[in-house]
């Protein structure tokens, strides 16, 4: 396939950050623990607004939120409670782990994150929400509070709609680069995809529609937010009942961003791919993504199952498995079909969907023989590519991580990057990863709702995966691995007070 300039740029970063047996052994990287970036951002000196503690959990079954129609909004609910629920069930702290040997304690959140480093920050603009001051806020997950960074009407500058609530997800690439170096930008994008779905599904559980926008002028949004080391990646417009509001007096507090590390190490490849996927205000809107041309595979997926576990409980109990139990425990073919139905349901985003498809390493699924399969979302079918035990391959390709073999099923999510570039230019690199992260997030929640667990896997030998899947150059690039099964017990998890 001939490469144009945009595709070349996008591939240059992707190629340069591939893992291979040789690349992992070529450079030794030891983690500088003393310089580990602080996982919580605060804007010091801003007025803070408490969000009500322990907000009521959304009780609709999580699978209904993933696969069915949303419940109606609660007309009696105050804005403070609504915002508290939105953040509590999408990105707040939900667990603590204790490393007994060192006494080190750290927190985990509702949204997962590569290395638990949490590069994503959540800002929001509110306008006309009853009993809530119009303004620009930053969510502080460490205390479940909102920092008021400015009063007035900021929504119009951040959205193209009249949405009374707009979240802007930014990323702090250094947080991930500290550990993952140049490859970290991929993880920032995947994390943003998870965070987007975490917010969108919580909004849905509260009866609101969430529309994501990836296509905006980067500099203008960054300037509006008054951020420097945070890069805006996604704007999420949330449709919530509101009254027209003139916005009141605009007063800027801003606040001082806390310093995250003593020293910041530069990663020029990350700066370059981020800059080359940035847009100016004058750029035309994106093309809408047509679905991938369908190929009908021979194995029809059964209809999804139902499960009663409530959304609120599901999202707060979600945890990544350290490893899976292996052994004889299986999931059913219908449960696997439910994961796929949830993961590949259309998204509400200006960049569409259909850039990513799943390949499956089926280890222990009742009613489906072990083997390597390709999923075709438009026709809802699977195609068997290689029969037989895939455990060794799944683990070996996932950088030797056992959890990819001990799961019931492991996925390679493969993105059509030339198509992403043809539709969206270099910006398409972001969108392919957002989509993969979003699919992974829905897999996490669907599995948890059905009583088993998952783990996102960002580390894999890229070109070995392509060779094993039989992908010729230009046919697709693996962007994410994901495993689901029955988690082993994690003794570090502490009960939440
Ligand atoms: C994009 C992404 C990549 C990840 N890659 C790996 C991985 O390669 N291996 C692994 O064991 N866990 C991986 N994880 C799981 C994280 O370690 C986990 O989300 C984090 O420790 C927080 O734990 P929690 O998901 O229970 O909140 C990944 C998670 C994400 C979102």
């Amino acid at each position: 396939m001939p490469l144009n300039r945009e595709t070349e740029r996008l591939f240059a970063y992707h190629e340069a950050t591939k893992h291979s047996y040789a690349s992992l052994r070529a450079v030794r990287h030891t983690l500088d623990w003393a310089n580990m970036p602080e996982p919580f951002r605060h804007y010091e000196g801003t007025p803070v607004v408490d969000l009500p503690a322990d907000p009521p959990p959304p009780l609709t079954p999580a699978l209904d939120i993933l696969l069915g129609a949303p419940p109606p909004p609660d007309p009696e609910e105050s804005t403070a409670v609504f915002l508290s629920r939105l953040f509590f069930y999408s990105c707040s702290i939900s667990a603590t782990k204790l490393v007994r040997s060192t006494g080190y304690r750290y927190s985990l959140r509702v949204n997962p994150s590569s290395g638990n480093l949490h590069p994503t920050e959540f800002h929001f603009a509110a306008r006309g929400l009853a009993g809530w001051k119009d303004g620009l806020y930053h969510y502080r997950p460490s205390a479940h509070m909102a920092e008021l960074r400015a009063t007035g009407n900021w929504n119009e500058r951040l959205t193209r709609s009249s949405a009374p609530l707009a979240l802007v997800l930014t990323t702090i690439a250094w947080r991930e680069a500290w550990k993952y170096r140049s490859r970290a930008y991929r993880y920032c994008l995947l994390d943003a995809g998870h965070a987007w779905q975490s917010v969108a599904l919580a909004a849905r559980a509260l009866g609101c529609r969430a529309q994501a926008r990836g296509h905006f002028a980067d500099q203008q949004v960054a300037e509006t937010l008054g951020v420097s080391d945070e890069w805006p990646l996604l704007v999420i417009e949330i449709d919530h009942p509101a009254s027209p509001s003139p916005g009141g007096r605009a007063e800027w507090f801003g606040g001082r961003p806390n310093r995250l590390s003593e020293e910041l190490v530069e990663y020029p490849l990350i700066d370059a791919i981020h800059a080359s996927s940035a847009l100016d205000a004058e750029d035309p809107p994106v093309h809408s993504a047509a679905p991938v041309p369908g190929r009908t595979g021979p194995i029809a997926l059964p209809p999804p199952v139902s499960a009663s576990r409530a959304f609120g409980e599901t999202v707060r109990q979600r945890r990544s498995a350290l490893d899976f139990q292996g052994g004889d425990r299986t999931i059913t073919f219908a449960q696997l079909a439910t994961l796929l139905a949830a993961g590949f349901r259309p998204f509400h985003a200006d960049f569409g969907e259909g850039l990513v498809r799943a390949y499956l390493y089926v280890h222990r699924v009742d009613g489906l023989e072990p083997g390597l399969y390709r999923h075709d979302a438009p026709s809802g079918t699977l195609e068997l590519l290689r029969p037989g035990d895939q455990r060794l391959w799944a683990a070996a390709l996932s950088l030797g991580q056992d959890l990819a073999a001990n799961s019931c099923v492991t996925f390679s999510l493969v993105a059509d990057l030339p198509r992403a570039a043809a539709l969206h230019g270099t910006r398409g690199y972001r969108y392919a990863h957002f989509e993969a992260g979003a699919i992974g997030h829905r897999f996490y929640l669907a599995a948890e709702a059905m009583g088993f667990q998952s783990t996102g896997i960002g580390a894999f030998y890229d070109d070995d995966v392509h060779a094993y899947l039989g992908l010729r150059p230009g046919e697709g690039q693996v962007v994410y691995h994901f495993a689901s099964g029955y988690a082993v017990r994690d003794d570090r998890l502490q009960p939440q007070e």
Side-chain angles (χ1 to χ4, degrees):
M1 173 171 305
L3 296 182
N4 63 22
R5 202 166 49 91
E6 301 293 358
T7 330
E8 270 172 22
R9 278 200 214 145
L10 178 156
F11 268 100
Y13 170 80
H14 199 72
E15 287 294 327
T17 57
K18 283 181 171 173
H19 280 328
S20 69
Y21 188 79
S23 74
L24 284 177
R25 280 147 193 87
V27 188
R28 274 198 80 78
H29 177 60
T30 42
L31 294 179
D32 179 359
W33 288 103
N35 200 39
M36 181 184 174
E38 160 69 40
F40 294 107
R41 160 63 29 105
H42 308 302
Y43 281 91
E44 288 157 7
T46 50
V48 288
V49 187
D50 267 328
L51 293 168
D54 299 324
L59 295 174
T60 307
L63 281 188
D64 292 4
I65 300 300
L66 285 161
L67 294 166
D74 176 356
E76 304 298 319
E77 186 174 72
S78 73
T79 298
V81 171
F82 167 77
L83 289 173
S84 177
R85 294 177 89 192
L86 182 68
F87 289 108
F88 196 72
Y89 295 101
S90 63
C91 55
S92 64
I93 292 175
S94 57
T96 310
K97 280 191 182 175
L98 169 69
V99 184
R100 285 182 213 284
S101 56
T102 59
Y104 177 61
R105 227 176 247 280
Y106 58 97
S107 55
L108 296 110
R109 308 191 201 178
V110 173
N111 55 314
S113 168
S114 18
N116 200 33
L117 295 165
H118 287 284
T120 312
E121 292 292 326
F122 299 77
H123 298 258
F124 66 99
R127 185 181 180 199
L129 298 175
W132 188 266
K133 197 189 272 292
D134 290 355
L136 183 65
Y137 297 80
H138 170 248
Y139 176 63
R140 190 188 272 191
S142 58
H144 192 52
M145 284 173 168
E147 300 169 339
L148 177 61
R149 301 193 60 227
T151 57
N153 173 14
W154 297 86
N155 296 49
E156 271 167 21
R157 275 178 258 190
L158 293 171
T159 68
R160 288 222 197 94
S161 70
S162 56
L165 179 63
L167 270 73
V168 184
L169 308 191
T170 64
T171 198
I172 302 180
W174 162 239
R175 282 207 184 116
E176 288 288 319
W178 168 76
K179 180 168 183 188
Y180 299 111
R181 297 179 290 160
S182 296
R183 190 172 164 103
Y185 190 64
R186 300 187 188 196
Y187 300 160
C188 291
L189 301 179
L190 291 168
D191 271 39
H194 279 279
W196 159 37
Q197 278 307 291
S198 210
V199 167
L201 291 167
R204 192 173 168 81
L206 298 174
C208 299
R209 191 186 146 93
Q211 173 74 26
R213 199 150 63 81
H215 193 86
F216 52 78
D218 295 61
Q219 189 59 26
Q220 185 240 312
V221 172
E223 278 169 13
T224 304
L225 292 180
V227 291
S228 52
D229 61 350
E230 297 180 33
W231 293 338
L233 290 180
L234 276 165
V235 178
I236 307 174
E237 299 170 357
I238 297 182
D239 185 13
H240 185 268
S243 5
S245 165
R249 198 162 72 88
E251 192 177 354
W252 179 257
F253 310 112
R256 285 180 312 284
N258 59 334
R259 189 166 173 179
L260 304 178
S261 290
E262 278 305 308
E263 191 202 346
L264 197 148
V265 181
E266 303 273 339
Y267 286 91
L269 282 180
I270 293 183
D271 293 340
I273 181 71
H274 186 68
S276 87
S277 62
L279 299 175
D280 297 329
E282 292 76 32
D283 282 315
V286 288
H287 307 273
S288 69
V292 176
R295 291 173 45 132
T296 305
I299 307 168
L301 287 161
V305 302
S306 59
S308 60
R309 198 169 191 206
F311 180 83
E313 185 193 330
T314 302
V315 301
R316 295 209 43 100
Q317 295 293 317
R318 181 211 63 79
R319 288 276 66 88
S320 293
L322 274 187
D323 196 355
F324 297 97
Q325 292 173 17
D328 298 333
R329 271 188 101 180
T330 55
I331 60 168
T332 64
F333 191 16
Q335 286 176 321
L336 173 61
T338 309
L339 290 184
L340 292 166
F344 286 87
R345 210 174 170 211
F347 297 103
H348 299 290
D350 65 352
F351 45 89
E353 60 258 325
L355 294 173
V356 174
R357 80 183 307 179
Y359 288 72
L360 293 76
Y361 308 79
V362 169
H363 306 319
R364 276 179 301 277
V365 176
D366 254 348
L368 192 64
E369 63 171 294
L372 175 72
Y373 293 81
R374 177 168 48 208
H375 176 232
D376 183 68
S379 63
T381 56
L382 294 179
E383 203 177 341
L384 179 62
L385 303 180
R386 291 169 187 257
D389 191 340
Q390 301 297 311
R391 287 175 297 177
L392 212 58
W393 279 103
L397 294 171
S398 307
L399 238 61
Q401 299 185 76
D402 290 343
L403 81 176
N406 291 330
S407 61
C408 293
V409 58
T410 290
F411 301 87
S412 284
L413 297 182
V414 171
D416 186 342
L417 294 184
R419 188 160 167 274
L423 286 167
H424 309 289
T426 313
R427 191 76 155 191
Y429 195 66
R430 299 187 189 183
Y431 300 159
H433 285 79
F434 294 160
E435 187 179 327
I439 291 168
H441 198 72
R442 290 167 168 198
F443 283 175
Y444 261 120
L445 297 190
E448 198 78 45
M450 291 186 282
F452 53 99
Q453 293 74 35
S454 304
T455 302
I457 302 176
F460 39 78
Y461 291 118
D462 298 72
D463 284 338
D464 296 313
V465 174
H466 304 147
Y468 189 65
L469 300 182
L471 291 168
R472 287 188 298 271
E475 277 191 341
Q477 298 281 320
V478 57
V479 290
Y480 201 14
H481 271 193
F482 200 88
S484 296
Y486 295 95
V488 295
R489 200 180 135 87
D490 186 346
D491 289 329
R492 297 169 307 171
L493 267 175
Q494 298 289 292
Q496 239 353 49
E497 336 37 87

